[in-house]
Structures are given as C-alpha cells and as structure tokens.
Amino acid sequence: MQEQDSLEQKIDNLNSIAWNNRVNDSEKAMQFSQEAFPLSRQVNYKKGLADALVIESFGYIRTSAFDKATISLDEAESIYKSSENIRGLAVLNEYKGIIERYHGNSAASLEYIYKALEQSRQTSFTDNEVTNLYQLGVTYRHLANYDKALEYLYMSLSLARKINFPLMEAYNLNVIGSIYFETADYKQALEYYKQGLIMRKQSGDKWGEAGSLNNIGFTCFKLQDYTEAVDYCDRSLAIAKETGDKKGQANSLLHLAEIYSKKMIFQHR
C-alpha cells in the first residue's frame, strides 16, 4: 500500500510539472506527461492516467495534431466521468471546444466551452474559468462578433488580474489587440499588443512572445513604420525557429515578404 501511494505521488508530481509547463514549454510538458503513462497503467492509477492524457492532448493541439488530441481526450473523458471528476472534465471540454473551433465548428466549440465554464464555476476552479472566458472570446472573434468577443475577453482579463495570472493576462491583451487590428484601429491595437508582449516575457511564454512580436511588427507595417515592422517580425521569426513553431515561422515570413514588397514600392515612388 505504501509503494502504491508513493508511485501515485510520483505520477501526480510528473503531471504537475507537465501542467505547469504546458504553455511555456509544450514539448517538455508532453515528455513529463508521457512518463506518467506507464507508471499509471502499472499501478492502475486512473486519475493519473487521465491527467496525463489531457496534458498530452494540449501538446497535440499546439502542433495541430487534432486527431491524436481527440483520441487522448476521449480516453481521459471516460475516466473522469466514471469518477465524477468535474474539474478534469472542465479542462477536457475546453480543449474539445478548441479543436471544434479549429475545424470550423463554432457552434460545437461554444457548446463545449460554455459547459467547461459551468463546470469550472461549479468547482470554484478559477484558473480554468479565466481560460474558459478567454476561449469564448476567441471563438466569438472567429465569428466576427466583436462586441461579444470583447465582453468575454475583458471578463477574463479582469479575473486574470484579480488572481494574478499573468500568462492569461497576456493572452487576453493580445486577442483584444487583434480585434482592434481587425477593425483598423491600429494605434489601439499596438498599445494592447505591446502590453501583452511585456506580460508574455514576464511569464516566460516564448511561443506567445513570438506571436506578440509578429503582431506588433505587422501593425507597425500598417502604420507605415517599415523599419520597426521588419525588426519586430525578424525577432518573431528567430524565436519561432528556436521553439520549433512552424506556424509562427510561416506567419513571420509571410509578413516580412509583404513588408519588404511594400517597402520597395514605397522607396521607388
């Protein structure tokens, strides 16, 4: 019995490290969660296995491996439901909502995330409530319902500040900036992007930092500040290469191409 308890504690520690690193270092998080798999199966520790599967699914979502993420989530879901682990289901349903959004199924995305929000509030899972509100804002942004998107993003931002959750404060600032960008309010967008960059640096979120730099660069481009635009996008590209973020690299390169093209036209007028 003592050995069982000791192994379960080890599994919980592995999952805790993985959870805390899931955003800042998704690859490291997956390594720790996957280390928990054989141990969990060895001692039939269902919760440990389900937690590891959910953390693994986040890594798959980050790399757009949605089929793999869904397989992990489905296995975890059966465990959480059988043990009535509402907090686990709150995280799981949010991730399912993200996957549905990537597939263009906005209605299903909202249904999953609203369910996650209800479960987070039911269990006083405030950290997860912040991310649920953020994901609702992101989904409404995809629907171009900017008023509703800003409503949820500002709710998430306020709660993130209240509980001192700088990582999610940064994510909210960035998406709010994106909405101002999409409505052509570039000066306001730049202000929010720069606030978000500061918070992402403080959180050690290299993926997010690259995204913020790229957004700032392209906003500078829209404001016809081509030197700053190139500088920020170059910095974004360097970090995206460092983290292996292929999508981030593609975005930075695309923006740099557009900036250089416009810069040459502008210089030859």
Side-chain angles (χ1 to χ4, degrees), residues 6-106:
S6 177
L7 276 171
E8 287 185 4
Q9 183 61 55
K10 181 178 180 180
I11 292 162
D12 286 341
N13 288 341
L14 287 168
N15 283 330
S16 178
I17 294 168
W19 176 261
N20 291 331
N21 283 280
R22 72 193 188 285
V23 176
N24 295 349
D25 191 341
S26 298
E27 188 176 336
K28 180 180 179 181
M30 285 187 77
Q31 288 171 358
F32 277 97
S33 64
Q34 288 171 349
E35 193 178 331
F37 287 148
L39 292 174
S40 299
R41 296 188 194 280
Q42 178 186 326
V43 295
N44 197 31
Y45 183 30
K46 299 288 191 181
K47 180 184 180 298
L49 176 60
D51 290 346
L53 286 163
V54 169
I55 298 163
E56 177 188 56
S57 76
F58 183 84
Y60 285 139
I61 290 169
R62 265 282 175 92
T63 55
S64 301
F66 302 120
D67 290 344
K68 289 182 178 179
T70 300
I71 291 168
S72 297
L73 290 171
D74 286 345
E75 185 177 353
E77 185 173 26
S78 64
I79 297 170
Y80 283 150
K81 282 185 173 178
S82 65
S83 60
E84 297 183 358
N85 186 332
I86 306 301
R87 282 193 168 203
L89 288 168
V91 177
L92 184 148
N93 281 317
E94 179 186 305
Y95 291 177
K96 286 200 167 190
I98 294 169
I99 292 169
E100 291 293 343
R101 185 174 66 233
Y102 272 106
H103 287 316
N105 304 324
S106 298

Side-chain angles (χ1 to χ4, degrees), residues 90 93 110-120:
N93 281 317
L110 288 171
E111 186 176 344
Y112 274 118
I113 301 168
Y114 273 121
K115 187 171 183 62
L117 179 62
E118 179 186 333
Q119 290 166 329
S120 294

Side-chain angles (χ1 to χ4, degrees), residues 138-158:
V138 172
T139 305
Y140 278 116
R141 175 199 166 197
H142 275 258
L143 291 167
N145 187 340
Y146 295 131
D147 288 343
K148 201 77 174 172
L150 287 171
E151 177 187 341
Y152 280 105
L153 291 167
Y154 279 120
M155 284 170 65
S156 180
L157 178 61
S158 176

